[in-house]
Amino acid sequence: MELGLVGKRAVVLGASSGLGASCARTLLAEGADVTACGRRTALIDAWIAENDPHVQTRASSLALDLKSRESVAAAIEDIHARGGADILVLNSGGPPTTTALDARPEDWPAQFQAMACSLFELTQAMLPGMIGRQWGRIVIISSSGVEQPIARLALSNAIRASIAGWAKTLSAEVAPHGITVNLVLPGRILTDRVRQIDGETANRTGQSIGDVAAASSAAIPMARYGTADEFASVVTFLASERASYMTGGKVRVDGGMIRAV
Ligand SMILES: NC(=O)c1ccc[n+]([C@@H]2O[C@H](COP(=O)([O-])OP(=O)(O)OC[C@H]3O[C@@H](n4cnc5c(N)ncnc54)[C@H](OP(=O)(O)O)[C@@H]3O)[C@@H](O)[C@H]2O)c1
């Protein structure tokens, strides 16, 4: 299938590791020009350097700290200077794990700023260009917690529900302009974030990380964690020309983990 990504300008957030890095690499491999954002630009530059020299010319890193409004404003200016974005992959770091009972009051505004407000602001800044070109793709890396809230991830469950509401609202507003907005819901995809959460569970319960991961995998019909590349394939399809009639939706990449239909 020809994805129609050649010449499209993709901006991927949280592209230094894990899901975001894999999405950025896959979009690059499929022909898009990629601006890969994150705080650890050295990691981004390192994966860009692994590509053939002619591919490297289509990729660049951009320093962005989603916790900082100044950094978001500077990134918006920089992306405009690079010609704007046809494709936005919205991603952020995951919040601290906590129960709803124990959540610290100061974490709510701070995490909402980094995980939601910064993404909303960046998207709004890119939309006039997409509307002018009558084409755009906004793909949001979300969580299975949107459909089945995850224990001890109260901040994540609550903030991602808000992002889902924003995405659905926006999808209807921009659909007449050839712009799609979709959420992709990872279940358990093996990345640093999942290793960190399994490590915390191991510390809390006294199990080994291996036992935690084995029990976690056993609860998934496919009996394993997914890979970041499996996740990125779905994001790349949604970002492509071929997904032109999919919008306002949620796609699970979870090996069957969410039990509801
Ligand atoms: N992996 C899964 O199975 C899974 C499941 C459900 C939800 N999720 C969610 O999906 C998202 C990506 O997860 P992942 O597994 O790929 O995690 P990861 O490997 O830890 O990657 C997180 C990415 O977010 C970036 N980031 C963190 N804080 C940032 C900040 N303040 N400003 C800008 N970028 C920041 C990191 O880059 P820098 O540190 O370089 O800035 C990194 O590139 C997270 O929100 C996670 O909670 C993942």
Side-chain angles (χ1 to χ4, degrees):
M1 186 187 286
E2 170 52 54
L3 292 176
L5 285 165
V6 174
K8 296 295 186 200
R9 284 164 299 195
V11 173
V12 183
L13 310 188
S16 62
S17 68
L19 305 181
S22 205
C23 291
R25 296 168 86 129
T26 308
L27 285 163
L28 183 66
E30 293 297 334
D33 299 338
V34 173
T35 299
C37 307
R39 292 167 303 178
R40 295 169 296 168
T41 50
L43 289 184
I44 298 171
D45 292 335
W47 69 250
I48 290 175
E50 290 167 10
N51 290 276
D52 291 341
H54 71 281
V55 175
Q56 288 182 34
T57 60
R58 292 189 285 104
S60 58
S61 61
L62 175 60
L64 170 60
D65 182 353
L66 292 165
K67 287 184 177 157
S68 154
R69 296 202 66 182
E70 293 71 29
S71 178
V72 171
I76 288 170
E77 207 169 301
D78 207 317
I79 295 164
H80 279 318
R82 297 173 191 212
D86 302 302
I87 297 164
L88 269 181
V89 178
L90 300 179
N91 183 29
S92 69
T97 54
T98 177
T99 60
L101 271 174
D102 293 335
R104 298 186 311 169
E106 62 271 28
D107 280 344
W108 287 107
Q111 292 300 322
F112 197 76
Q113 179 65 41
M115 295 176 66
C117 298
S118 292
L119 308 193
F120 301 163
E121 189 178 342
L122 212 138
T123 303
Q124 276 183 267
M126 294 305 131
L127 277 169
M130 291 185 189
I131 291 169
R133 294 185 289 276
Q134 292 288 288
W135 198 96
R137 297 285 182 267
I138 298 164
V139 187
I140 300 149
I141 299 183
S142 179
S143 170
S144 63
V146 165
E147 293 198 334
Q148 189 171 288
I150 304 166
R152 306 190 65 82
L153 279 175
L155 286 160
S156 174
N157 296 332
I159 295 168
R160 292 185 204 281
S162 158
I163 297 169
W166 168 80
K168 188 67 181 173
T169 310
L170 178 66
S171 69
E173 294 175 16
V174 298
H177 301 291
I179 301 167
T180 67
V181 185
N182 289 289
L183 304 178
V184 186
L185 278 45
R188 291 199 186 100
I189 312 291
L190 189 57
T191 64
D192 292 347
R193 167 81 175 164
V194 164
R195 287 186 197 96
Q196 173 219 321
I197 289 176
D198 281 357
E200 287 179 17
T201 305
N203 287 338
R204 203 179 64 253
T205 60
Q207 295 169 282
S208 70
I209 293 193
D211 285 346
V212 170
S216 195
S217 297
I220 300 170
M222 285 200 173
R224 65 174 177 85
Y225 288 170
T227 68
D229 285 348
E230 287 176 308
F231 183 85
S233 299
V234 177
V235 170
T236 301
F237 171 72
L238 285 171
S240 78
E241 182 59 43
R242 300 284 80 79
S244 49
Y245 201 59
M246 289 179 76
T247 196
K250 292 179 286 186
V251 181
R252 300 172 184 171
V253 184
D254 72 343
M257 190 182 88
I258 297 172
R259 297 298 171 143
V261 175

